[in-house]
Amino acid sequence: LDATFGTIAATIASGAVAERARVSVFGVYCIVVVSFAYPVVTHWAWSGTGFLRYSDGANGPHHSSFGPAFVDCAGSGVIHCTGGVGGLLGAILAGPREDRFRYPHAYAPHNITLIVLGTLFMWFSWYAFNSAAIFSDRNEDEGTSAMLTAVTMNTAISPSASGLV
């Protein structure tokens, strides 16, 4: 599951540099993120010894260097923060799309059917992905059923609400 999370963190930046980066450069970026950047950030947040979440004793409460311990449900904070920072850096380095606003018709969606189909595939996969992340983090006696219900409802409601915007 961690390899999947690392890959997702790397591919989040693909939208930020779409049509402005070569595939070979993006491939090197993905290798660097998955091999070096993502493991460092996950250690900070998830290891129990990183500065975002650590414990003073074996069963003591968790703290961070900045106050309360970092809590990350299903890896969303670490994955999206790593991918978002990579996307921001990539967009800054790649610069703006040339002639984006001079010829707006050139950037129109090419196939609405495939866009909607891809969105539905992603939405469907979020159910399995988010549920698997909940089961990997929790024991049955810690309220897994209630947490799974809340995560499934949020997985359904969030994209539905954004579709209304």
Side-chain angles (χ1 to χ4, degrees), residues 3-164:
T4 304
F5 285 167
T7 305
I8 290 170
T11 57
I12 285 173
S14 65
V17 295
E19 302 171 353
R20 293 178 289 164
R22 294 177 184 227
V23 174
S24 59
V25 172
F26 187 70
V28 171
Y29 162 80
C30 288
I31 290 170
V32 169
V33 167
V34 172
S35 301
F36 302 105
Y38 183 75
V40 169
V41 176
T42 56
H43 174 77
W44 291 343
W46 295 343
S47 70
T49 60
F51 74 93
L52 292 176
R53 184 178 177 93
Y54 64 88
S55 178
D56 293 333
N59 292 323
H62 291 291
H63 309 283
S64 81
S65 298
F66 307 105
F70 178 74
V71 177
D72 189 22
C73 181
S76 62
V78 170
I79 294 166
H80 289 94
C81 183
T82 305
V85 168
L88 177 64
L89 293 174
I92 290 170
L93 292 173
R97 289 183 175 95
E98 293 181 17
D99 296 329
R100 167 65 175 100
F101 297 104
R102 183 182 295 175
Y103 305 109
H105 62 279
Y107 289 90
H110 300 292
N111 191 327
I112 299 297
T113 305
L114 290 179
I115 292 170
V116 171
L117 188 61
T119 302
L120 291 174
F121 284 157
M122 284 184 64
W123 190 3
F124 182 75
S125 67
W126 286 331
Y127 288 104
F129 191 79
N130 292 345
S131 300
I134 292 301
F135 278 116
S136 69
D137 288 344
R138 306 208 179 278
N139 296 325
E140 187 62 39
D141 59 345
E142 293 183 22
T144 304
S145 298
M147 178 65 82
L148 184 60
T149 303
V151 166
T152 304
M153 286 304 297
N154 284 334
T155 302
I157 292 170
S158 298
S160 299
S162 68
L164 297 175

